[in-house]
Coordinates of all heavy atoms in Angstrom, one line a residue:
C78 N 10.4 98.3 -158.1 CA 11.7 99.0 -158.3 C 11.4 100.5 -158.3 O 10.6 101.0 -159.1 CB 12.3 98.6 -159.6 SG 13.8 99.6 -160.0
S79 N 12.0 101.3 -157.4 CA 11.8 102.7 -157.3 C 12.4 103.4 -158.5 O 12.1 104.6 -158.7 CB 12.3 103.2 -156.0 OG 13.7 103.0 -155.8
D80 N 13.3 102.8 -159.2 CA 14.0 103.4 -160.3 C 13.1 103.3 -161.6 O 12.9 104.3 -162.3 CB 15.4 102.8 -160.6 CG 16.4 103.6 -159.9 OD1 16.2 104.1 -158.7 OD2 17.5 103.8 -160.5
C81 N 12.7 102.1 -161.9 CA 12.0 101.9 -163.2 C 10.5 101.5 -163.1 O 9.8 101.5 -164.1 CB 12.7 100.9 -164.1 SG 12.4 99.2 -163.5
G82 N 10.1 101.2 -161.9 CA 8.7 100.9 -161.7 C 8.3 99.4 -161.9 O 7.2 99.1 -161.7
H83 N 9.3 98.6 -162.2 CA 9.1 97.2 -162.4 C 8.5 96.6 -161.1 O 9.1 96.8 -160.0 CB 10.4 96.5 -162.8 CG 10.2 95.0 -163.0 ND1 9.6 94.5 -164.1 CD2 10.5 94.0 -162.2 CE1 9.6 93.1 -164.0 NE2 10.2 92.8 -162.8
C100 N 17.1 94.8 -159.5 CA 15.9 94.8 -160.3 C 16.2 94.0 -161.6 O 17.2 94.3 -162.3 CB 15.5 96.2 -160.7 SG 14.2 96.3 -161.9
P101 N 15.3 93.0 -161.9 CA 15.6 92.2 -163.1 C 15.3 93.0 -164.4 O 15.7 92.5 -165.5 CB 14.6 91.0 -163.0 CG 13.5 91.5 -162.0 CD 14.2 92.5 -161.2
S102 N 14.6 94.1 -164.3 CA 14.3 94.9 -165.5 C 15.4 95.9 -165.8 O 15.9 96.0 -166.9 CB 13.0 95.6 -165.2 OG 12.6 96.3 -166.4
C103 N 15.8 96.7 -164.8 CA 16.8 97.8 -165.1 C 18.2 97.5 -164.5 O 19.1 98.3 -164.7 CB 16.2 99.1 -164.6 SG 16.2 99.4 -162.9
G104 N 18.3 96.5 -163.6 CA 19.6 96.2 -163.1 C 20.0 97.0 -161.9 O 21.1 96.9 -161.4
T105 N 19.1 97.9 -161.4 CA 19.4 98.7 -160.2 C 19.5 97.8 -158.9 O 18.6 97.0 -158.7 CB 18.4 99.8 -160.0 OG1 18.3 100.6 -161.2 CG2 18.7 100.7 -158.8
H107 N 19.2 97.4 -155.0 CA 18.4 98.0 -154.0 C 18.6 97.4 -152.6 O 18.8 96.2 -152.4 CB 16.9 97.8 -154.2 CG 16.4 98.5 -155.5 ND1 16.3 99.9 -155.6 CD2 15.9 98.0 -156.6 CE1 15.8 100.2 -156.7 NE2 15.5 99.1 -157.4
Ligands
ZN1 ZN1 14.2 98.6 -162.1

Side-chain angles (χ1 to χ4, degrees):
C78 172
S79 60
D80 266 40
C81 76
H83 178 78
C100 175
S102 179
C103 72
T105 300
H107 293 293

